[in-house]
Short mmCIF file of all heavy atoms in Angstrom, two decimals:
data_model
loop_
_atom_site.label_atom_id
_atom_site.label_comp_id
_atom_site.label_asym_id
_atom_site.label_seq_id
_atom_site.Cartn_x
_atom_site.Cartn_y
_atom_site.Cartn_z
N GLU A 1 -4.43 34.51 10.90
CA GLU A 1 -5.80 34.25 10.46
C GLU A 1 -5.73 33.35 9.24
O GLU A 1 -4.96 33.61 8.31
CB GLU A 1 -6.51 35.55 10.12
CG GLU A 1 -7.99 35.35 9.76
CD GLU A 1 -8.66 36.67 9.40
OE1 GLU A 1 -8.38 37.20 8.31
OE2 GLU A 1 -9.45 37.17 10.21
N VAL A 2 -6.52 32.28 9.27
CA VAL A 2 -6.54 31.30 8.17
C VAL A 2 -7.93 31.28 7.56
O VAL A 2 -8.93 31.14 8.28
CB VAL A 2 -6.18 29.89 8.68
CG1 VAL A 2 -6.31 28.87 7.55
CG2 VAL A 2 -4.78 29.87 9.27
N GLN A 3 -8.00 31.44 6.23
CA GLN A 3 -9.28 31.29 5.53
C GLN A 3 -9.26 30.01 4.71
O GLN A 3 -8.30 29.73 4.00
CB GLN A 3 -9.56 32.46 4.59
CG GLN A 3 -10.97 32.38 3.98
CD GLN A 3 -11.11 33.14 2.66
OE1 GLN A 3 -10.30 32.99 1.76
NE2 GLN A 3 -12.15 33.95 2.56
N LEU A 4 -10.35 29.23 4.85
CA LEU A 4 -10.56 28.05 4.02
C LEU A 4 -11.86 28.23 3.25
O LEU A 4 -12.79 28.88 3.74
CB LEU A 4 -10.66 26.79 4.88
CG LEU A 4 -9.52 26.50 5.85
CD1 LEU A 4 -9.84 25.27 6.70
CD2 LEU A 4 -8.20 26.32 5.11
N SER A 5 -11.94 27.66 2.06
CA SER A 5 -13.21 27.64 1.33
C SER A 5 -13.42 26.27 0.72
O SER A 5 -12.46 25.55 0.41
CB SER A 5 -13.24 28.72 0.24
OG SER A 5 -12.38 28.39 -0.83
N TYR A 6 -14.71 25.91 0.57
CA TYR A 6 -15.08 24.58 0.07
C TYR A 6 -16.22 24.70 -0.93
O TYR A 6 -16.98 25.67 -0.92
CB TYR A 6 -15.52 23.67 1.23
CG TYR A 6 -14.40 23.31 2.18
CD1 TYR A 6 -14.05 24.18 3.22
CD2 TYR A 6 -13.69 22.14 2.03
CE1 TYR A 6 -13.01 23.86 4.09
CE2 TYR A 6 -12.66 21.81 2.90
CZ TYR A 6 -12.32 22.68 3.92
OH TYR A 6 -11.29 22.36 4.78
N ALA A 7 -16.34 23.67 -1.77
CA ALA A 7 -17.49 23.51 -2.65
C ALA A 7 -18.25 22.27 -2.21
O ALA A 7 -17.64 21.26 -1.83
CB ALA A 7 -17.04 23.36 -4.10
N ILE A 8 -19.56 22.32 -2.26
CA ILE A 8 -20.37 21.19 -1.84
C ILE A 8 -20.04 19.96 -2.67
O ILE A 8 -19.95 20.02 -3.91
CB ILE A 8 -21.88 21.53 -1.90
CG1 ILE A 8 -22.72 20.41 -1.26
CG2 ILE A 8 -22.32 21.83 -3.33
CD1 ILE A 8 -24.17 20.79 -1.04
N GLY A 9 -19.82 18.83 -1.98
CA GLY A 9 -19.54 17.58 -2.66
C GLY A 9 -18.11 17.41 -3.14
O GLY A 9 -17.78 16.43 -3.80
N VAL A 10 -17.22 18.35 -2.79
CA VAL A 10 -15.81 18.27 -3.19
C VAL A 10 -14.96 18.15 -1.93
O VAL A 10 -15.17 18.89 -0.96
CB VAL A 10 -15.39 19.51 -4.01
CG1 VAL A 10 -13.91 19.45 -4.37
CG2 VAL A 10 -16.25 19.63 -5.25
N ALA A 11 -13.99 17.25 -1.91
CA ALA A 11 -13.22 16.98 -0.70
C ALA A 11 -12.16 18.04 -0.43
O ALA A 11 -12.02 18.54 0.69
CB ALA A 11 -12.57 15.60 -0.79
N ASN A 12 -11.38 18.37 -1.44
CA ASN A 12 -10.28 19.30 -1.20
C ASN A 12 -10.75 20.75 -1.13
O ASN A 12 -11.67 21.14 -1.85
CB ASN A 12 -9.24 19.16 -2.32
CG ASN A 12 -8.44 17.88 -2.21
OD1 ASN A 12 -7.55 17.78 -1.37
ND2 ASN A 12 -8.77 16.90 -3.05
N PRO A 13 -10.13 21.54 -0.25
CA PRO A 13 -10.52 22.95 -0.18
C PRO A 13 -10.35 23.64 -1.53
O PRO A 13 -9.43 23.33 -2.28
CB PRO A 13 -9.54 23.54 0.85
CG PRO A 13 -9.04 22.38 1.63
CD PRO A 13 -9.05 21.21 0.69
N VAL A 14 -11.25 24.55 -1.83
CA VAL A 14 -11.14 25.34 -3.05
C VAL A 14 -9.98 26.32 -2.93
O VAL A 14 -9.25 26.57 -3.89
CB VAL A 14 -12.46 26.10 -3.32
CG1 VAL A 14 -12.31 27.09 -4.47
CG2 VAL A 14 -13.58 25.10 -3.61
N SER A 15 -9.82 26.88 -1.72
CA SER A 15 -8.72 27.84 -1.50
C SER A 15 -8.28 27.81 -0.04
O SER A 15 -9.05 27.46 0.85
CB SER A 15 -9.14 29.26 -1.89
OG SER A 15 -10.16 29.74 -1.02
N ILE A 16 -7.01 28.20 0.16
CA ILE A 16 -6.42 28.35 1.49
C ILE A 16 -5.65 29.67 1.49
O ILE A 16 -4.89 29.95 0.56
CB ILE A 16 -5.46 27.19 1.82
CG1 ILE A 16 -6.20 25.84 1.79
CG2 ILE A 16 -4.79 27.41 3.18
CD1 ILE A 16 -5.27 24.64 1.91
N LEU A 17 -5.86 30.47 2.53
CA LEU A 17 -5.16 31.76 2.64
C LEU A 17 -4.71 31.97 4.08
O LEU A 17 -5.48 31.75 5.02
CB LEU A 17 -6.08 32.91 2.22
CG LEU A 17 -5.53 34.33 2.41
CD1 LEU A 17 -4.34 34.58 1.48
CD2 LEU A 17 -6.62 35.36 2.16
N VAL A 18 -3.47 32.40 4.26
CA VAL A 18 -2.93 32.70 5.58
C VAL A 18 -2.53 34.17 5.63
O VAL A 18 -1.84 34.66 4.74
CB VAL A 18 -1.72 31.82 5.92
CG1 VAL A 18 -1.17 32.17 7.30
CG2 VAL A 18 -2.09 30.34 5.86
N GLU A 19 -2.98 34.87 6.68
CA GLU A 19 -2.65 36.28 6.91
C GLU A 19 -2.03 36.40 8.30
O GLU A 19 -2.60 35.94 9.28
CB GLU A 19 -3.91 37.14 6.81
CG GLU A 19 -3.75 38.58 7.24
CD GLU A 19 -2.78 39.34 6.36
OE1 GLU A 19 -3.11 39.57 5.18
OE2 GLU A 19 -1.71 39.72 6.87
N THR A 20 -0.84 37.03 8.37
CA THR A 20 -0.16 37.18 9.67
C THR A 20 -0.04 38.64 10.10
O THR A 20 0.61 38.91 11.12
CB THR A 20 1.23 36.53 9.63
OG1 THR A 20 2.03 37.20 8.64
CG2 THR A 20 1.13 35.05 9.32
N PHE A 21 -0.61 39.56 9.36
CA PHE A 21 -0.68 40.97 9.77
C PHE A 21 0.71 41.56 10.06
O PHE A 21 0.87 42.39 10.97
CB PHE A 21 -1.59 41.13 10.99
CG PHE A 21 -2.94 40.48 10.82
CD1 PHE A 21 -3.17 39.19 11.29
CD2 PHE A 21 -3.96 41.14 10.15
CE1 PHE A 21 -4.40 38.58 11.11
CE2 PHE A 21 -5.21 40.54 9.98
CZ PHE A 21 -5.43 39.26 10.46
N GLY A 22 1.69 41.11 9.30
CA GLY A 22 3.04 41.63 9.46
C GLY A 22 3.79 41.09 10.66
O GLY A 22 4.89 41.57 10.98
N THR A 23 3.25 40.06 11.32
CA THR A 23 3.91 39.52 12.52
C THR A 23 4.65 38.21 12.25
O THR A 23 5.23 37.63 13.18
CB THR A 23 2.88 39.26 13.65
OG1 THR A 23 2.04 38.15 13.29
CG2 THR A 23 2.03 40.49 13.90
N GLY A 24 4.65 37.73 11.02
CA GLY A 24 5.19 36.41 10.72
C GLY A 24 6.66 36.41 10.36
O GLY A 24 7.22 37.42 9.90
N LYS A 25 7.29 35.25 10.55
CA LYS A 25 8.69 35.07 10.17
C LYS A 25 8.83 34.67 8.71
O LYS A 25 9.95 34.59 8.18
CB LYS A 25 9.33 34.01 11.07
CG LYS A 25 9.43 34.44 12.53
CD LYS A 25 10.13 33.39 13.38
CE LYS A 25 10.27 33.87 14.82
NZ LYS A 25 10.94 32.87 15.69
N LEU A 26 7.68 34.39 8.08
CA LEU A 26 7.65 34.07 6.66
C LEU A 26 6.66 35.02 5.99
O LEU A 26 5.86 35.69 6.65
CB LEU A 26 7.19 32.62 6.44
CG LEU A 26 7.95 31.50 7.16
CD1 LEU A 26 7.21 30.17 6.96
CD2 LEU A 26 9.38 31.40 6.66
N SER A 27 6.67 35.05 4.67
CA SER A 27 5.66 35.82 3.95
C SER A 27 4.33 35.08 4.00
O SER A 27 4.28 33.87 4.28
CB SER A 27 6.08 36.02 2.49
OG SER A 27 6.03 34.77 1.79
N ASN A 28 3.24 35.78 3.74
CA ASN A 28 1.93 35.13 3.73
C ASN A 28 1.87 34.01 2.68
O ASN A 28 1.24 32.97 2.90
CB ASN A 28 0.83 36.15 3.47
CG ASN A 28 0.61 37.07 4.67
OD1 ASN A 28 1.03 36.76 5.78
ND2 ASN A 28 -0.05 38.19 4.43
N GLU A 29 2.52 34.22 1.56
CA GLU A 29 2.55 33.19 0.51
C GLU A 29 3.29 31.94 1.00
O GLU A 29 2.86 30.80 0.76
CB GLU A 29 3.22 33.73 -0.75
CG GLU A 29 2.43 34.82 -1.47
CD GLU A 29 2.61 36.20 -0.84
OE1 GLU A 29 3.39 36.33 0.13
OE2 GLU A 29 1.96 37.14 -1.31
#
């Protein structure tokens, strides 16, 4: 699951978060 957030009038995302619910080969970070 990937979460993105934005601010109006700003190009780059304010935040990015990845959650793999313990199924990933890497850490969420």
Side-chain angles (χ1 to χ4, degrees):
E1 185 181 73
V2 176
Q3 186 204 49
L4 306 176
S5 71
Y6 292 84
I8 188 169
V10 178
N12 287 284
V14 171
S15 67
I16 300 172
L17 174 66
V18 179
E19 171 64 68
T20 62
F21 309 95
T23 70
K25 294 182 178 180
L26 306 172
S27 69
N28 288 343
E29 292 81 2

